[in-house]
C-alpha cells in the first residue's frame, strides 16, 4: 500500500498557494485554542456513526490521530450531510469530517484537502430478481440514495443522456435524509436498489448479511474523499496538509487504513481525480 505522504506534495500544488505556507501550528485561525472542531454526519457507518453514545468510525479515528500530531484535540459535531457546507460557511466548525467527496461544484464554495480514495457500490435485496451491476442498469427502476451526495448529479445526467436518449425509461431517484433511511426504504420495497459509498455498502452487508448483497462488480465513479475548509481559511488548510504529512509517517496511520481496508490516494490518483472548480 502506498501511503499518503507520497501524495502530499502534488496535493499542495493542486489546492494551496505557496503564499499561505506557515511555519507552525501555534497561531492558526481555529475557532478554539488546542482544538479542531469538525462537522460530521454520524449516520454513515463505517466512516462516522454513534456507538454507545460516542462518535466512532474511520473518519473519527483518523481525525483523532491527525489532531494529535497537530497538537490539538478533535471535536466532532453531529450534523446532517446537506447542512455540512452551510455550517462550515457559517463558522459552526473549522472543517467538515464526513467522508465528503471532492467535486468541482464543492470546490467552488469550499476548499478541500484529500485524504482517501473511494467510490460507490450498488446494494440490492438478497434474492431479488433485480440485481443491477452498473448505473446503466438503473433505467426504468426506482433507486434510493442519501440526499446531497455527489453521485446524484451523475445519475440525473445518466438518466437524461443515456436512458431517455436511448429510448429507455428514466431513472426514478428517491432521496432520503440519511443512508440508513435509504436502506430501510429498499428493504420495505419503496425502492428497488440503493447506491452508496462502497465502504458503507460493505458495512450494510456486514450488519444485515442475509438480507442485502452488493450487486455491482466494480468500483463506481472513483473519487477522492476530503476535509472541507471554509474558503479563505488558508491557515487551517495548510495546517491539515502539514498534519497529514506528519501523520502519514506514523504506525497509527498505516494501522488505521489496514483496519478499515481503506486506501490512501497516490500521486496519480490526485493527478487524475482532483477536479478543477
Amino acid at each position: 500500500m502506498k501511503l499518503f505522504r507520497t501524495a502530499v506534495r502534488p496535493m499542495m500544488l493542486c489546492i494551496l498557494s505557496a503564499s499561505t505556507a506557515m511555519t507552525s501550528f501555534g497561531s492558526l485561525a481555529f475557532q478554539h485554542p488546542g482544538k479542531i472542531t469538525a462537522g460530521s454526519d454520524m449516520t454513515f457507518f463505517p466512516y462516522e456513526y454513534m456507538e454507545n453514545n460516542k462518535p466512532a468510525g474511520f473518519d473519527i479515528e483518523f481525525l483523532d490521530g491527525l489532531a494529535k500530531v497537530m497538537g490539538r484535540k478533535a471535536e466532532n459535531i453531529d450534523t446532517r450531510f446537506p447542512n455540512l457546507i452551510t455550517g462550515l460557511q457559517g463558522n459552526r466548525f473549522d472543517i467538515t469530517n464526513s467522508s465528503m467527496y471532492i467535486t468541482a461544484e464543492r470546490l467552488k464554495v469550499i476548499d478541500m484537502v484529500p485524504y482517501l480514495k473511494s467510490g460507490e457500490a450498488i446494494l440490492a435485496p438478497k434474492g431479488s430478481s433485480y440485481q443491477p451491476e452498473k448505473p446503466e442498469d438503473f433505467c426504468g427502476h426506482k433507486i434510493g440514495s442519501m440526499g446531497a451526495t455527489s453521485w446524484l448529479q451523475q445519475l440525473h445526467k445518466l438518466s437524461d443522456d443515456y436512458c431517455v436518449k436511448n429510448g429507455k425509461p428514466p431513472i426514478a431517484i428517491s432521496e432520503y435524509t440519511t443512508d440508513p433511511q435509504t436502506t430501510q426504504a429498499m428493504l420495505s420495497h419503496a425502492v428497488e436498489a440503493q447506491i452508496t459509498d462502497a465502504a458503507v455498502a460493505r458495512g450494510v452487508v456486514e450488519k444485515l448479511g442475509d438480507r442485502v448483497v452488493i450487486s455491482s462488480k466494480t468500483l463506481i465513479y472513483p473519487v477522492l474523499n476530503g476535509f472541507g475548509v471554509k474558503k479563505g481559511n488558508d491557515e487551517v488548510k495548510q495546517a491539515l496538509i502539514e498534519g497529514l504529512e506528519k501523520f502519514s509517517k506514523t504506525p497509527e496511520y498505516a494501522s488505521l487504513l489496514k483496519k478499515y481496508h481503506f486506501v490512501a490516494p497516490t500521486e496519480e490518483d490526485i493527478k487524475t481525480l482532483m477536479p478543477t472548480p
Side-chain angles (χ1 to χ4, degrees):
M1 179 182 296
K2 194 171 184 179
L3 294 186
F4 192 94
R5 58 179 177 272
T6 62
V8 170
R9 298 302 181 189
M11 177 178 71
M12 292 173 71
L13 295 176
C14 294
I15 61 176
L16 182 67
S17 165
S19 64
T20 64
M22 303 288 288
T23 57
S24 72
F25 296 129
S27 59
L28 303 179
F30 290 90
Q31 296 188 41
H32 305 288
K35 286 186 178 181
I36 179 167
T37 306
S40 302
D41 185 345
M42 296 182 206
T43 64
F44 211 51
F45 180 91
Y47 288 100
E48 52 273 327
Y49 58 98
M50 296 299 293
E51 185 174 66
N52 298 323
N53 295 318
K54 293 182 179 180
F58 173 81
D59 282 339
I60 305 302
E61 293 185 53
F62 193 94
L63 186 60
D64 282 344
L66 175 60
K68 183 178 179 180
V69 302
M70 294 169 65
R72 294 182 174 272
K73 184 176 181 180
E75 179 182 1
N76 292 276
I77 300 174
D78 191 17
T79 307
R80 296 292 72 80
F81 198 84
N83 302 322
L84 286 171
I85 290 179
T86 54
L88 180 66
Q89 293 171 323
N91 299 315
R92 191 178 174 207
F93 23 78
D94 300 313
I95 66 171
T96 63
N97 177 38
S98 202
S99 55
M100 185 177 285
Y101 291 175
I102 302 178
T103 67
E105 291 73 24
R106 286 173 180 154
L107 288 177
K108 291 176 182 177
V109 294
I110 62 173
D111 290 330
M112 299 195 74
V113 178
Y115 63 92
L116 198 67
K117 179 182 177 181
S118 187
E120 284 76 61
I122 302 169
L123 288 169
K126 188 173 183 178
S128 169
S129 60
Y130 178 58
Q131 298 288 325
E133 296 184 1
K134 54 188 184 300
E136 286 78 6
D137 296 334
F138 289 163
C139 301
H141 292 275
K142 297 179 180 179
I143 306 302
S145 170
M146 185 172 72
T149 57
S150 64
W151 58 78
L152 282 170
Q153 183 177 356
Q154 292 166 292
L155 290 187
H156 285 294
K157 180 175 172 52
L158 178 72
S159 182
D160 294 337
D161 295 349
Y162 174 76
C163 299
V164 175
K165 286 188 177 180
N166 285 284
K168 301 174 183 288
I171 305 170
I173 304 171
S174 296
E175 299 180 32
Y176 298 88
T177 303
T178 68
D179 207 73
Q181 288 175 349
T182 311
T183 303
Q184 186 56 47
M186 180 180 66
L187 293 175
S188 63
H189 307 294
V191 296
E192 299 172 82
Q194 174 183 359
I195 184 168
T196 188
D197 178 271
V200 173
R202 292 194 298 269
V204 172
V205 171
E206 179 183 324
K207 285 184 173 183
L208 301 179
D210 61 344
R211 301 185 67 187
V212 298
V213 295
I214 296 175
S215 59
S216 50
K217 304 302 181 185
T218 59
L219 188 67
I220 299 168
Y221 304 143
V223 71
L224 297 172
N225 291 21
F227 298 115
V229 182
K230 185 178 180 180
K231 282 283 187 185
N233 199 346
D234 294 329
E235 295 89 346
V236 169
K237 182 168 63 176
Q238 174 66 10
L240 287 174
I241 292 171
E242 293 182 6
L244 282 166
E245 186 170 18
K246 289 184 177 181
F247 186 39
S248 69
K249 297 173 182 177
T250 66
E252 290 80 8
Y253 175 86
S255 176
L256 190 58
L257 289 175
K258 183 178 181 181
K259 174 182 176 180
Y260 284 92
H261 309 289
F262 285 167
V263 178
T266 64
E267 293 181 18
E268 186 61 26
D269 289 333
I270 291 180
K271 180 180 177 180
T272 57
L273 296 177
M274 192 73 183
T276 301

